[in-house]
């Protein structure tokens, strides 16, 4: 679904909503949905030269880290005993077993894969031919979120109730999607100073 289609759907219920207002509210809805569901999963690949004094910057806006692991040229996890990771303030830190910062990878590793929950930019939807960043099956959710909020303001109780229920259904599906996608890495973020992923699943996840 592209922005133009979403605007047309909003204008069916609220013809006086301007394009500027539609864009603003749809962008806000996308960030809310992405943060609530953690459905926008992205892989960040870091190479050895990205690390300076044992740390490298995650150059995108993220909500949390779901997994960290060394991968080979085919993106398969490789053995990495002796390396540990920490994530603070959008920086990934690598240390050895003694706690000393290191900037070297295992000899069989091509890159370090960091799987993150990414947050769409505040102005992700700008042009009418653009689509939301979140997965396509959840684009309609943004329309329902805006309709729900707008209907409450307008005093349209019936529309507000229906739109809120529709949006909640998408939230539930989005949360389920986010968990499934994140778990495909085989290793889940658990706590600071974890061993780097070796393909063995951990128990839980934690926000930054």
């Amino acid at each position: 679904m592209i922005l133009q289609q979403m605007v047309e759907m909003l204008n069916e219920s609220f013809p006086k909503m301007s394009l500027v207002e539609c864009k603003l509210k749809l962008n806000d809805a996308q960030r809310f949905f992405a943060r609530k569901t953690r459905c926008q999963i992205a892989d960040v690949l870091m190479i050895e030269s990205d690390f300076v004094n044992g740390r490298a910057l995650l150059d995108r806006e993220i909500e949390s880290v779901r997994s960290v692991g060394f991968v080979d040229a085919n993106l398969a996890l490789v053995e990495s005993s002796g390396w540990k990771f920490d994530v603070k303030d959008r920086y990934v830190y690598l240390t050895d077993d003694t706690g000393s910062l290191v900037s070297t990878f295992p000899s069989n590793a091509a890159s370090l894969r960091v799987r993150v929950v990414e947050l769409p930019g505040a102005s992700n939807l700008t042009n009418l031919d653009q689509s939301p960043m979140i997965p396509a099956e959840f684009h309609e959710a943004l329309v329902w979120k805006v309709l729900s909020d707008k209907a409450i303001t307008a005093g349209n109780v019936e529309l507000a109730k229906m739109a809120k229920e529709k949006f909640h259904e998408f939230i539930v599906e989005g949360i389920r999607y986010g968990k499934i996608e994140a778990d495909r890495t085989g290793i889940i973020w658990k706590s600071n100073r974890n061993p780097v992923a070796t393909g063995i699943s951990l128990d839980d996840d934690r926000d930054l």
Side-chain angles (χ1 to χ4, degrees):
M1 185 179 293
I2 60 175
L3 177 59
Q4 182 174 346
Q5 294 170 312
M6 302 169 83
V7 171
E8 291 172 353
M9 291 174 68
L10 292 174
N11 286 157
E12 287 179 6
S13 297
F14 297 100
K16 293 184 178 181
M17 278 189 75
S18 68
L19 177 59
V20 172
E21 183 183 7
C22 289
K23 288 181 180 180
L24 178 63
K25 292 187 179 298
L26 286 167
N27 275 303
D28 288 345
Q30 181 173 214
R31 285 176 66 82
F32 179 87
F33 188 86
R35 188 180 294 275
K36 190 78 172 178
T37 63
R38 299 179 175 181
C39 70
Q40 183 56 33
I41 306 295
D43 285 339
V44 181
L45 294 178
M46 296 178 163
I47 59 176
E48 197 170 73
S49 61
D50 291 332
F51 284 82
V52 178
N53 296 325
R55 76 172 191 171
L57 177 66
L58 286 166
D59 60 347
R60 61 183 69 190
E61 189 174 0
I62 63 173
E63 190 272 341
S64 59
V65 171
R66 302 309 301 256
S67 69
V68 178
F70 289 111
V71 293
D72 61 20
N74 296 316
L75 302 183
L77 283 168
V78 300
E79 182 60 40
S80 52
S81 299
W83 277 264
K84 296 180 183 295
F85 73 87
D86 198 1
V87 182
K88 291 181 179 179
D89 300 324
R90 292 176 59 201
Y91 278 94
V92 177
Y93 293 82
L94 285 178
T95 63
D96 58 23
D97 283 335
T98 69
S100 299
L101 290 169
V102 295
S103 297
T104 57
F105 288 4
S107 58
N108 56 346
S111 56
L112 183 74
R113 184 188 64 192
V114 183
R115 176 157 279 197
V116 302
V117 176
E118 189 174 18
L119 291 177
S123 301
N124 173 243
L125 292 171
T126 303
N127 302 321
L128 289 174
D129 60 350
Q130 284 182 301
S131 295
M133 181 184 291
I134 60 175
E137 52 262 58
F138 303 122
H139 290 180
E140 185 182 338
L142 309 186
V143 177
W144 289 115
K145 170 62 173 169
V146 176
L147 285 176
S148 174
D149 293 345
K150 188 71 175 178
I152 291 173
T153 303
N156 189 333
V157 177
E158 183 177 349
L159 177 58
K161 182 176 183 295
M162 180 186 70
K164 183 178 181 180
E165 290 174 351
K166 290 283 189 180
F167 182 65
H168 178 71
E169 292 174 3
F170 277 107
I171 286 287
V172 172
E173 289 302 313
I175 292 172
R176 182 179 295 115
Y177 176 97
K179 289 181 176 179
I180 292 173
E181 288 300 301
D183 287 348
R184 286 180 182 172
T185 60
I187 183 87
I188 303 301
W189 165 264
K190 186 176 182 182
S191 64
N192 291 344
R193 302 298 179 187
N194 265 322
V196 171
T198 56
I200 302 172
S201 182
L202 297 178
D203 297 326
D204 62 4
D205 63 279
R206 183 172 303 174
D207 296 347
L208 290 175

